Amino acid sequence: MLLPAEGEGRNAVFAATQGWNVTAFDTSEVAKKKALLLAGNKKVSIDYRVGVLEDVVPRNERYDCIALIYAHLPSREWSLFAEYLITLLNPGGKIIFEGFSRQQLEYQERYQSGGPKDIDFLFSKEEIESGFKELTITYLRQEEIVLKEGNYHQGKASVIRMLAAI
C-alpha cells in the first residue's frame, strides 16, 4: 500500500497493523520521525520516505492500493499527481481517496474544523472524477462528516470520498 502525503503516519501505521506492507512519504523529516516512532510503539514497520512523488516512488514500483487521505495539492499539480499514481497501480489495484471539498471553507468559518484555507487546495467531485477518469469509480460522494482528528480537525467538515479501481 502506498500512502502519499502521509504526514505523521497515523494512516500508515494503522494500515501496517492490518497486515499491509506500507510505503509512505511526505516532504518533512520531522513527520517521518514521528511516524517511525508511532510505528515502533505499535510494533509494526513502515517504509517512510522523504521527498516528492517522482523522487521517492520510481515508476517501476507497483501497489495493490494507494490511499490518498487529505493529500491536498494546488490544482495545477493535482492532475499530474493523479496521473502518476495511476501508473503505480497493479492490475486490479485500488485508489482510496478522502479530502476536503471546496465547501470546507464555509465549514472552517462555521465549525473551525480545519483544512486548507486556499480554495485552490480543495477538491470538487468533478476534479476528482477527471483526475481518475482512467479508473472505474465505484464510489464518489461529497459528504458531511464529524472529524475527531487532533486539535485542529474537530467538528463538522465537508469531504469528498472516492473508491476506484484500475
Side-chain angles (χ1 to χ4, degrees), residues 73-81 118 120-121 127:
L73 297 168
S75 60
R76 67 187 174 281
E77 295 174 26
W78 174 250
S79 61
L80 293 174
F81 189 75
D118 183 341
D120 192 46
F121 284 75
E127 183 176 26

Side-chain angles (χ1 to χ4, degrees), residues 66 68 78-79 81-86 89 95-97 123 126-137 140 162 164-165:
I66 299 172
L68 292 158
W78 174 250
S79 61
F81 189 75
E83 185 179 297
Y84 193 96
L85 291 175
I86 292 168
L89 284 172
I95 291 185
I96 300 166
F97 173 90
F123 299 105
E126 294 77 20
E127 183 176 26
I128 298 306
E129 192 170 41
S130 174
F132 296 111
K133 64 183 174 276
E134 296 175 39
L135 304 179
T136 300
I137 297 174
L140 178 61
M162 180 203 72

Side-chain angles (χ1 to χ4, degrees), residues 108-127:
Q108 287 173 357
E109 288 181 27
R110 192 175 309 146
Y111 304 110
Q112 290 78 48
S113 54
K117 296 186 183 317
D118 183 341
I119 198 162
D120 192 46
F121 284 75
L122 300 170
F123 299 105
S124 68
K125 281 177 38 181
E126 294 77 20
E127 183 176 26

Side-chain angles (χ1 to χ4, degrees), residues 10-156:
R10 287 190 311 244
N11 296 309
V13 170
F14 175 78
T17 66
Q18 302 303 302
W20 286 90
N21 291 322
V22 175
T23 299
F25 71 90
D26 208 308
T27 57
S28 168
E29 282 289 345
V30 172
K32 176 183 178 177
K33 288 177 186 174
K34 289 181 178 182
L36 294 177
L37 180 63
L38 180 60
N41 289 340
K42 297 288 186 178
K43 297 181 176 27
V44 295
S45 65
I46 58 175
D47 174 9
Y48 198 107
R49 304 170 186 180
V50 176
V52 296
L53 177 62
E54 298 84 3
D55 294 338
V56 297
V57 183
R59 283 196 185 267
N60 65 338
E61 290 188 16
R62 294 290 178 269
Y63 298 90
D64 293 325
C65 185
I66 299 172
L68 292 158
I69 310 300
Y70 299 99
H72 291 272
L73 297 168
S75 60
R76 67 187 174 281
E77 295 174 26
W78 174 250
S79 61
L80 293 174
F81 189 75
E83 185 179 297
Y84 193 96
L85 291 175
I86 292 168
T87 69
L88 301 175
L89 284 172
N90 279 322
K94 294 179 175 30
I95 291 185
I96 300 166
F97 173 90
E98 180 169 306
F100 288 114
S101 79
R102 294 187 182 270
Q103 281 67 45
Q104 181 60 15
L105 290 177
E106 298 166 27
Y107 283 74
Q108 287 173 357
E109 288 181 27
R110 192 175 309 146
Y111 304 110
Q112 290 78 48
S113 54
K117 296 186 183 317
D118 183 341
I119 198 162
D120 192 46
F121 284 75
L122 300 170
F123 299 105
S124 68
K125 281 177 38 181
E126 294 77 20
E127 183 176 26
I128 298 306
E129 192 170 41
S130 174
F132 296 111
K133 64 183 174 276
E134 296 175 39
L135 304 179
T136 300
I137 297 174
T138 56
Y139 185 90
L140 178 61
R141 302 264 188 308
Q142 182 173 327
E143 301 176 0
E144 181 180 280
I145 64 170
V146 177
L147 291 174
K148 297 176 187 169
E149 301 290 330
N151 294 334
Y152 302 107
H153 296 99
Q154 294 284 328
K156 289 184 182 178

